[in-house]
Structures are given as C-alpha cells and as structure tokens.
Amino acid sequence: MSSPYSAYRSIIGKAEHDLIARLAQRLEGRSLAMVNSTRDGGGVAEILRNMVPLLNEIGVPTDWEIIEGRPDFFGMTKTLHNALHGRPEPLTAAMIDAYWEVSRMNAGKLADKLDKPLVFIHDPQPAGLLRDLRKPGQKWVYRCHVDVSNPFPPAWDFLGPIVTNYDASVFSHPSFAQKMVNPQFLIAPSIDPLTDKNKPIPPEFVQKTLRRFQLDPKRPLLTQVSRFDKLKDPIGVIAAYRLVKKTHPRVQLLLAGGAASDDPESVHILPAIQEAAGKDPDIHVLDLPPFSDLEINALQRASSVVLQKSLKEGFALTVTEALWKERPVVAMAVGGIPLQVLDHKTGYLVHTVEGTATAIRRVLDHPEEAAVLARNGRKHVLQNFLITRHMREYLSMFLSVLHPGQAIVRFGA
Amino acid sequence: MEPFVFRTSVESIQLTGLKAASLRELNEGLEKTDGSSVYHHTHRFYRNYAFLNSSNRSDFDLWVGDNLKEAEVSERMSALDLRDYITLADLRQALLATLEPLKDVPGRWDRQVPPGMEFHFCRSVSLVLPAGHEAGNLEEFIAAIEKVDVGCLYHHLIEAPLHSAEGGRSNHFSGWLRAQGFPKEAQAVADIDPYRGNLEDLRQEVLGIFQARQLGAILKRAVGRLSRETAGEPAAQWLRHWRQEG
C-alpha cells in the first residue's frame, strides 16, 4: 500500500511538494499508460508500484499494464538483455519470431488500454507494442533501464530500429545511450522513502531480523543485496570477503537476493554461489522470497558496509537504498553507480576484488570517516534520487515532448 | 504598478549526441554545442549538489581533472567566476580559452580517456511556470521570498538573467525593486554573488538585505501603538523626534 502524496511533504519540503503538483496540472488531464513485463521483482516494478498511485493522486490519470509472455519469449528477452549488456549471445530467427508473436498477442489484449495520449514503455519486452498500437496524436516514450552503450551488435540491430520510432527515449545515464535521431532524455531512477524497504524501522526489528537469519549483531556485517545474477558478481563478493577476513577475522558476509519472474537465469546462479561459499559458517546466502522488503530494510540498516560488486549495472537502486539509510557503501564504478557514489564524498568507488577488499578495510578501520561519507550519501539521495524528484522529471519530460524543439517552455498562470 | 509574479523553473535534461574523449574533442564539442549545453554543464551543480557545498565546480573541470588528469586546465576552468560572463557565449569563449595553452602540446591535446569515461554533452530544457506567489508591495515580496521553492530563486537570480537579452547583468528582483522605488535594495540584490553558497544560503542573503527595513517597520508599528495607548507625552514626543530623524 503506497503512502498518500501529502506524506512526502515532511521529507522534501512544502515548496517542492507543491511544485510537483503544479507541474502535473500542466499536463491538463492527459492520461498515461505505463507498460512493463512484471509486477514483482526488479527495480522497474518497484518504482511503478509506488509511482502510479502518486501520479493518479496529483492529477495525472495513470494505468499500469503488464504484458504476458511465454517461457520462450522471456528466454528471448533475457538473451536480448544480456546481449544489450555486451555478452555475445545471438538471437536466432526462432527467438525473434517468438518475440513478435507474443508482442502481437499482447497488442490485441492491450489495444483499448493503451489508447491514451501518453504511453510509456519500460524496457525491451513490451517495446514492440508501438508497431501495432500507435495512433496519431499519441506520444510514445521508451524507457531504457539498461546500459546499451556497448551491445553485442545483433541485439541493437534488433532493438534500435524499434526504439527509433518512439517520440523520445529516456536513459538513466548519458553513457548508457546509443545515438538516435529522436530526443533522448536523462532521468535517474529513484527509491521511495516511505515503503517498507526504506522507511524508518525500530531497532528491535533489526535485531530480531538478524537473529532470525542467524547473523551475529555484535560482529561486522558485509552485505550485498541483489537478485542472483552473474552480472552482480556474487562470486567476486565472496573473494573480496575472503581477503578482508585475513585481517578482520570477525567479519560476516551476507548475500541476500531472490529471483524475478522475468529472469529464468537466476535459478542457475544460486547453486554456484553456494558452492563458492563452501562450508564457511560466516557466509550467509539468503534466497529471499518476493515481498521481503522489511527484512531487506533491516539487513541493510544492520550492515557495517553495503557492497555492490556488479560487473555491469543499470542504475543499482540497492546502492541508493543503502545511501538513504546512511550506510557506508563500497561499490564498483559501473553503470549508474558513479552517479550515486561520488568517490570519497558519498562512499568508495572500486574497480577490482582487491580494491573492494581495501575499501572495506578502510571503512572498518576508520568508522568516523565512513560516517561522514554516509551522511553525505543520504543528502545526495534526498536531493537527487527520491521518487518525488523522479516524478518531477517524468512530468517535465512529457511536457518537453509535448513542446518539441523548445529550449525554454513558458507556462502562464 | 505591476505586481511581481514569482516564477520557478524545472529542468528536463537531454543528450546532444556529442561526446569527447580528449581535450581536442572537448574543444570541438564546446565550439559546436548549443548555449543550453554550456549552461547545463556549468550550472547543474548549484541545483543538484548543494549538499557538497562545492564552489564553482562544473562538469567540464571535473571531467578534465578526474578523467583526463589534466590538473592545470581543470584548475583554470574551476577558477572561472561565472558572474564575469554576461552571456553564455562569453562563458563558452572563456572555457575555450582555458584549453588554449595545451593546443600545441600534442601528447596531451590528443590523449584519450579509456572507453566509457568520455564526456557526454547534454543540454537543459527549462520549463518555467508560476511559483504560486505574487507581490504587490515590498512586504508581500519579502513574505514570498521566505516561502518560494529554491528553483524560483534560481530562476530569477541565475537562469533568467543568463537567458535574457541583456545577459547576466540584471535580475528580475532588482528590476522590480528599482521600479518600486527601492534603489538601494535593488542594487544590494544585484550585488549578491548567487554562486557563492547553496540556494538556501541565497534565500537568506536576499532576506538579509531587508532585515533592517523589517525591524524598522516592526519598531514603527510598536511605537505607533504605544503612542495611541499613552495618548500623548512623552511617547508622542519621542515618536515625532524619531520620525523626523528617520
């Protein structure tokens, strides 16, 4: 259950709160359809779950639609996802046929629901809907949540021509984008400070959660929260932990994750992690079910260091969550992480397993310095990565799309 | 007299498609890119990174310093005082001039950053809308300054002057104050360095200009009430004297 819009006023201030509502009025009642491929699992679903009710409340009638798929379709889109990240995974003719077949099937089901002035498509799975459903006068915007700057070429050969037909596209970071003829906007994703995953929770609940997962509250805890995926490099996290363990034998490692319904690969990585962990009693691998948000919140708050050792990233909202909770963060300088972790200002940026271990030791050995960085991190998130800023930028983007080619758009009283 | 209509702005950021991997390419990009791109990269820190209290940092000097490791150019860029440049065209020329000394140093002029660390030229689209406050007199003006969102202060004191025909030498607040018959206050607002602190500091600095006037008004009201209550001497005498002095 999301919080009412008024609940954000005490966090962001009245002026910003009211400004966003006034900006929504400038869309003059135009309705919006958000479309993605899953209601649970992953950052996109999480943002939409919280943002859609808020947009409705401030006067932008918004519906959230989900496309349906089959195993071969989601297998194809996972291959496409990996290939967009640069992995040489080819798309076969059968895979492409499956994509368009499922896209047409969804177009049939969603035709009426997407007959709105503004349509916002998230990621490649529903991107093909434009071909069958676009009508004159509508604005279709494509939201790319992944880094497509250096793709395996056949993947972009497939997706690029689809995305080019949109009125605009949105990326989380300039370096994620591909050169295209349509306007490309930059909008970082966000976290919601009032959801179970991020709201303040009593210290007793944190302690209880640690006990429940057999973690020692008196010993330093290194944590990576991420869905189980090769690109999050959980094996690299274990290697960094082992280096730290040599000098700081009391540390414990927690790898907390889960699977997403649109990610068939995630079930294969868990056994590999468990094998790498071996019989070390201080390595805890938690396969959390969906809707474990309060537990994740507690585990992040209990962490001495939050890690994000990803090899590739979209934006890494788990980093945003940790910064919001004023936790020291050590994270790889990939994807959207350098936007959040400003090196030695809001956390530590690293490039290797060895660098990760060194930065963890620095946090453990210099807690006062780490606390200063963590406080900066929370301020950074308050200013730049909360859901309210995200809403403001989506509204601004749609208003820009409705006034193309203008560097300054002026609205009257 | 026209009331002052407070406006605020929000930004939408777009990619220009230009990018640079060396000083040469940065120079080429700076020559080609539009004014709203120069504006975006030199001003976004004041809106987005207030918590760091960093002064005069732009994307250009950060990239040149952190990614290209060209400390001299980075220092020259970060030392630019944005108030010295009346238009974005002037600022663009000043940025280009900081690169000039390295044009004849081939090893450094063409040295490239590793892939993935390029500079991406972006631009800001500004959406300007009423901030929800109007002022018909000075008291209402001060009251509104206390309440408006910081984007409103940014718009009137930084953004709009840079985009105006006269350039950065005039701002909306000073213009209105002068027209209202407050030339000292108008000048004091014009003399503020809007880039010195964060936007909340800027609000306090503007309010500080009116603080003495506000105290005077409060005192006048208090003395007026006292004189009515005591129906004459000695408060009335003191009031006459104070008015003559004032």
Side-chain angles (χ1 to χ4, degrees):
Chain A
M1 189 68 189
S2 61
S3 301
Y5 183 59
S6 58
Y8 296 83
R9 191 186 292 134
S10 63
I11 299 170
I12 61 172
K14 182 178 184 304
E16 173 76 358
H17 174 271
D18 295 353
L19 172 66
I20 295 166
R22 281 203 307 281
L23 205 54
Q25 289 170 9
R26 300 294 156 176
L27 281 173
E28 296 169 337
R30 288 179 181 87
S31 54
L32 166 64
M34 299 275 199
V35 188
N36 81 319
S37 61
T38 176
R39 279 198 200 276
D40 49 68
V44 179
E46 201 169 308
I47 289 168
L48 293 179
R49 193 181 313 133
N50 301 325
M51 189 184 285
V52 167
L54 292 173
L55 286 170
N56 277 298
E57 197 185 332
I58 63 172
V60 182
T62 306
D63 289 323
W64 177 13
E65 309 298 345
I66 300 294
I67 59 158
E68 292 170 9
R70 310 179 304 222
D72 59 342
F73 172 80
F74 285 123
M76 182 278 182
T77 56
K78 180 64 184 173
T79 301
L80 179 61
H81 175 89
N82 290 341
L84 287 169
H85 270 303
R87 273 162 61 172
E89 296 187 13
L91 297 173
T92 64
M95 287 169 143
I96 291 172
D97 287 347
Y99 179 89
W100 285 115
E101 197 180 317
V102 170
S103 186
R104 276 192 298 276
M105 178 197 81
N106 279 295
K109 288 183 179 172
L110 295 173
D112 290 342
K113 292 176 175 173
L114 301 194
D115 186 9
K116 294 181 189 300
L118 306 171
V119 180
F120 203 4
I121 300 289
H122 295 260
D123 278 339
Q125 297 92 334
L129 290 171
L130 173 108
R131 196 172 76 170
D132 294 313
L133 295 183
R134 181 188 209 153
K135 289 185 175 170
Q138 283 185 306
K139 298 289 184 189
W140 282 63
V141 177
Y142 178 72
R143 184 24 156 145
C144 185
H145 291 273
V146 298
D147 178 353
V148 296
S149 60
N150 198 18
F152 180 52
W156 190 250
D157 290 346
F158 173 76
L159 186 64
I162 299 172
V163 176
T164 303
N165 286 321
Y166 278 72
D167 294 289
S169 48
V170 178
F171 292 87
S172 299
H173 191 280
S175 67
F176 290 2
Q178 277 283 338
K179 200 161 188 171
M180 285 189 285
V181 291
N182 57 1
Q184 292 175 281
F185 290 84
L186 292 176
I187 299 177
S190 62
I191 59 163
D192 187 330
L194 297 177
T195 55
D196 284 349
K197 202 186 261 188
N198 297 305
K199 69 186 183 185
I201 50 173
E204 302 77 45
F205 183 79
V206 174
Q207 296 298 312
K208 193 175 128 192
T209 306
L210 288 175
R211 283 197 299 276
R212 182 178 150 202
F213 293 119
Q214 295 167 334
L215 293 156
D216 184 346
K218 292 185 180 141
R219 292 166 54 199
L221 177 63
L222 317 179
T223 302
Q224 176 160 301
V225 177
S226 274
R227 70 183 188 186
F228 296 124
D229 183 329
K230 278 183 202 164
L231 295 175
K232 309 293 182 191
D233 197 20
I235 309 297
V237 175
I238 292 173
Y241 153 82
R242 291 213 160 107
L243 289 175
V244 175
K245 190 85 171 167
K246 285 183 190 171
T247 51
H248 297 72
R250 285 169 52 77
V251 293
Q252 318 165 80
L253 175 65
L254 169 63
L255 290 165
S261 61
D262 61 346
D263 181 5
E265 206 178 63
S266 60
V267 291
H268 302 301
I269 186 80
L270 190 56
I273 299 169
Q274 282 160 337
E275 191 185 328
K279 292 188 175 163
D280 186 336
D282 287 334
I283 300 179
H284 302 259
V285 181
L286 294 183
D287 183 9
L288 293 168
F291 308 108
S292 299
D293 289 355
L294 276 171
E295 288 76 9
I296 290 171
N297 187 343
L299 293 169
Q300 286 171 325
R301 285 179 194 279
S303 300
S304 314
V305 187
V306 173
L307 307 171
Q308 195 63 52
K309 174 66 188 66
S310 305
L311 303 173
K312 284 266 187 181
E313 261 302 344
F315 189 75
L317 286 170
T318 45
V319 168
T320 328
E321 291 159 13
L323 292 173
W324 179 244
K325 297 177 182 100
E326 272 191 60
R327 302 320 305 147
V329 172
V330 172
M332 292 279 275
V334 295
I337 290 174
L339 282 179
Q340 306 180 65
V341 178
L342 309 176
D343 196 21
H344 288 74
K345 293 187 178 80
T346 64
Y348 296 103
L349 279 181
V350 292
H351 304 83
T352 58
V353 166
E354 293 79 4
T356 306
T358 305
I360 294 168
R361 287 195 197 107
R362 183 167 180 153
V363 172
L364 297 175
D365 293 341
H366 302 282
E368 302 84 7
E369 178 191 85
V372 171
L373 270 52
R375 278 197 293 278
N376 275 342
R378 182 174 165 98
K379 289 178 195 167
H380 189 21
V381 175
L382 174 63
Q383 198 152 354
N384 297 303
F385 304 121
L386 292 186
I387 191 168
T388 41
R389 185 276 317 159
H390 200 173
M391 288 165 63
R392 168 160 56 74
E393 292 193 354
Y394 274 171
L395 296 170
S396 307
M397 179 272 296
F398 278 118
L399 288 166
S400 297
V401 170
L402 290 165
H403 297 83
Q406 296 184 34
I408 303 177
V409 183
R410 294 178 205 281
F411 296 98
Chain B
M1 180 59 67
E2 286 274 305
F4 189 89
V5 180
F6 288 85
R7 297 185 184 280
T8 190
S9 76
V10 294
E11 289 180 339
S12 201
I13 301 166
Q14 288 183 13
L15 275 172
T16 64
L18 289 171
K19 61 181 180 178
S22 64
L23 287 178
R24 176 191 294 278
E25 290 172 9
L26 184 68
N27 190 78
E28 287 166 3
L30 264 168
E31 283 174 343
K32 272 190 226 161
T33 199
D34 51 40
S36 61
S37 174
V38 174
Y39 165 75
H40 171 76
H41 291 295
T42 50
H43 284 74
R44 75 182 185 99
F45 272 69
Y46 299 98
R47 285 194 143 172
N48 300 349
Y49 293 91
F51 66 95
L52 288 176
N53 280 327
S54 58
S55 58
N56 277 33
R57 299 309 301 267
S58 73
D59 287 331
F60 297 121
D61 72 65
L62 278 178
W63 182 77
V64 169
D66 292 354
N67 292 14
L68 264 179
K69 308 292 181 198
E70 285 289 356
E72 291 164 36
V73 177
S74 175
E75 279 182 17
R76 273 188 229 115
M77 284 180 156
S78 74
L80 294 178
D81 183 344
L82 297 180
R83 288 180 307 161
D84 291 341
Y85 308 101
I86 299 172
T87 65
L88 291 167
D90 297 338
L91 180 54
R92 183 202 306 266
Q93 288 311 314
L95 287 163
L96 286 167
T98 64
L99 300 173
E100 199 71 28
L102 290 186
K103 270 190 171 167
D104 297 325
V105 189
R108 291 164 74 182
W109 189 243
D110 291 308
R111 190 165 51 81
Q112 302 231 330
V113 293
M117 294 176 77
E118 298 89 352
F119 186 89
H120 295 263
F121 286 87
C122 302
R123 69 166 71 86
S124 293
V125 174
S126 291
L127 299 126
V128 182
L129 62 159
H133 296 274
E134 283 192 14
N137 57 45
L138 188 62
E139 280 195 348
E140 288 172 7
F141 183 82
I142 297 168
I145 295 279
E146 286 173 346
K147 288 181 204 152
V148 292
D149 67 283
V150 289
C152 173
L153 302 172
Y154 179 87
H155 172 69
H156 288 296
L157 292 173
I158 297 177
E159 180 187 47
L162 264 177
H163 287 110
S164 75
E166 312 94 78
R169 288 245 164 93
S170 73
N171 70 65
H172 293 164
F173 290 171
S174 293
W176 185 81
L177 287 166
R178 201 165 281 120
Q180 289 280 316
F182 302 106
K184 275 189 202 163
E185 286 80 359
Q187 192 55 47
V189 172
D191 289 343
I192 289 175
D193 175 359
Y195 299 108
R196 198 166 63 188
N198 63 39
L199 293 170
E200 279 301 336
D201 295 338
L202 184 57
R203 187 199 305 274
Q204 293 313 316
E205 205 163 346
V206 175
L207 288 173
I209 290 167
F210 302 103
Q211 223 158 33
R213 178 172 286 277
Q214 279 180 302
L215 284 174
I218 292 165
L219 191 58
K220 247 183 199 175
R221 278 199 297 272
V223 172
R225 195 165 53 243
L226 186 65
S227 69
R228 284 194 300 276
E229 284 165 6
T230 54
E233 309 306 319
Q237 271 180 11
W238 185 86
L239 181 62
R240 275 196 297 277
H241 175 73
W242 184 76
R243 279 180 177 151
Q244 277 160 11
E245 290 290 307

